[in-house]
Amino acid sequence: MATWIVLLRAVNVGGRMLPMADLRTLLGGLGHTDVATYIQSGNAVLTTSRRGRQAIADEIAAEIERAHGLPVAVIMRTPDEMRAVLAANPFSSVVETARVVVTFLSEVPAAENVQRLEPDRFLPDRFELTGREIYTHYPNGVGPSKLTLDYYEKRLRVRGTARNLNTVAKLIELAGG
């Protein structure tokens, strides 16, 4: 049995509603167990005997679209990968952890696409790409920033979804610590 942390992109924003009770039911209906969700932004933890990260993610995305009419990107990480994300935080000196956001990418972006990022364009907001994650520090908060998930996706040509460090820590806790 494997435990996975499931991150959905763009649910419960802009009218794209998916109640977490419905998500738990949907995941259980796909044969996953120990399903738990956290807050209303598309975070789940599950246990499964199935193998294949991308196959599981694709199945979840297809079922959400079939059952709720919502096309969503589904990105999955193991609890160990999430612990490594916390440990690798390049902005660990930031006291307000809600102002550090991790964008979880569907895959490692191609080097030529990474070259399209503009590190100084959005100052004082700063970011650092590390493999399949982008750490972004928003000293003035996420709301007023122009450094968005859409910017990353367009430049890197991969899908992503973002969570603040508090949420990452809570998902690790839900997955067994």
Side-chain angles (χ1 to χ4, degrees), residues 22-44:
D22 291 356
L23 178 59
R24 288 190 297 275
T25 299
L26 182 144
L27 294 172
L30 291 173
H32 307 298
T33 59
D34 303 320
V35 176
T37 56
Y38 176 66
I39 62 177
Q40 297 298 313
S41 59
N43 305 296

Side-chain angles (χ1 to χ4, degrees), residues 14-104:
R16 296 172 43 90
M17 301 307 294
L18 176 60
M20 293 300 96
D22 291 356
L23 178 59
R24 288 190 297 275
T25 299
L26 182 144
L27 294 172
L30 291 173
H32 307 298
T33 59
D34 303 320
V35 176
T37 56
Y38 176 66
I39 62 177
Q40 297 298 313
S41 59
N43 305 296
V45 175
L46 59 83
T47 302
T48 188
S49 60
R50 309 244 270 319
R51 301 204 181 260
R53 176 193 317 249
Q54 196 56 54
I56 296 168
D58 290 346
E59 179 184 50
I60 293 169
E63 185 62 12
I64 290 170
E65 185 162 10
R66 186 201 66 74
H68 297 277
L70 296 173
V72 298
V74 177
I75 296 174
M76 296 173 44
R77 298 292 191 266
T78 67
D80 285 344
E81 289 170 335
M82 292 294 262
R83 282 189 282 279
V85 164
L86 276 184
N89 174 18
F91 303 111
S92 59
S93 64
V94 174
V95 175
E96 292 183 66
T97 55
R99 292 186 186 245
V100 177
V101 172
V102 181
T103 300
F104 295 91

